[in-house]
Amino acid sequence: MFFHKKLTHTITLHPSFLGPRMREFVTKRLYKDVEGTCTGRYGYIVAVVAILDIQIGKIIPGHGSAEFEVKYSAILFKPFKNEVLDGVVESVNKLGFVTNAGPFQIFVSGSYIPSDMKLDMNTNPPSFHSDDQKIEKGTL
């Protein structure tokens, strides 16, 4: 499931980045640091939507770097147990098939595939098929 959430992140900038383009560096660092990462609490951060506020930086004593607390909103992806996801089949073998759904690579065991679907390893690519369905590489 996807969520839109307001989050905060602390950015540390080396003294060489402090100056007139400092805001630009903080913004680029935020995107680089958080997009595509996973937090246990909120799930995967798919994209930063907007930067809401960049606090005034605090100099780290004895180091010269500055810390900025950035408030931003982001699109999050957090799947829940028993949630149904759409995915693209990556491979099929005798044990089941592997599918990609966003950042996840999911293995579906043959024991969870309906009994009317039969494995055919002689086709190219290999597939599970029944009278009205076919699971092969590239299918949704």
Side-chain angles (χ1 to χ4, degrees):
M1 185 168 290
F2 291 92
F3 299 96
H4 187 224
K5 181 118 177 97
K6 294 178 183 174
L7 302 168
T8 60
H9 183 71
T10 302
I11 303 287
T12 303
L13 280 186
H14 187 271
S16 63
F17 294 107
L18 303 178
R21 295 179 49 206
M22 180 173 52
R23 192 170 189 81
E24 178 186 338
F25 291 129
V26 170
T27 302
K28 284 182 180 180
R29 177 70 62 87
L30 176 73
Y31 283 96
K32 182 182 171 197
D33 285 357
V34 302
E35 281 189 339
T37 62
C38 181
T39 66
R41 184 173 184 187
Y42 299 117
Y44 285 88
I45 299 174
V46 177
V48 173
V49 176
I51 295 176
L52 306 173
D53 184 38
I54 299 175
Q55 301 274 324
I56 294 175
K58 296 178 185 171
I59 303 297
I60 301 170
H63 193 266
S65 295
E67 283 187 344
F68 299 86
E69 188 171 299
V70 182
K71 294 180 182 177
Y72 64 98
S73 64
I75 300 294
L76 308 172
F77 176 58
K78 184 173 185 177
F80 294 97
K81 186 176 181 179
N82 296 325
E83 180 178 357
V84 176
L85 299 174
D86 290 332
V88 178
V89 176
E90 184 67 28
S91 65
V92 176
N93 61 41
K94 63 182 178 182
L95 300 175
F97 64 91
V98 177
T99 183
N100 292 324
F104 297 108
Q105 191 171 50
I106 303 164
F107 173 72
V108 179
S109 172
S111 62
Y112 289 106
I113 298 172
S115 59
D116 67 327
M117 298 195 84
K118 303 299 178 204
L119 175 63
D120 187 357
M121 292 298 287
N122 296 323
T123 61
N124 190 12
S127 64
F128 285 96
H129 61 86
S130 65
D131 293 337
D132 60 342
Q133 286 184 331
K134 191 171 189 177
I135 299 173
E136 65 182 6
K137 183 175 181 172
T139 58
L140 185 63

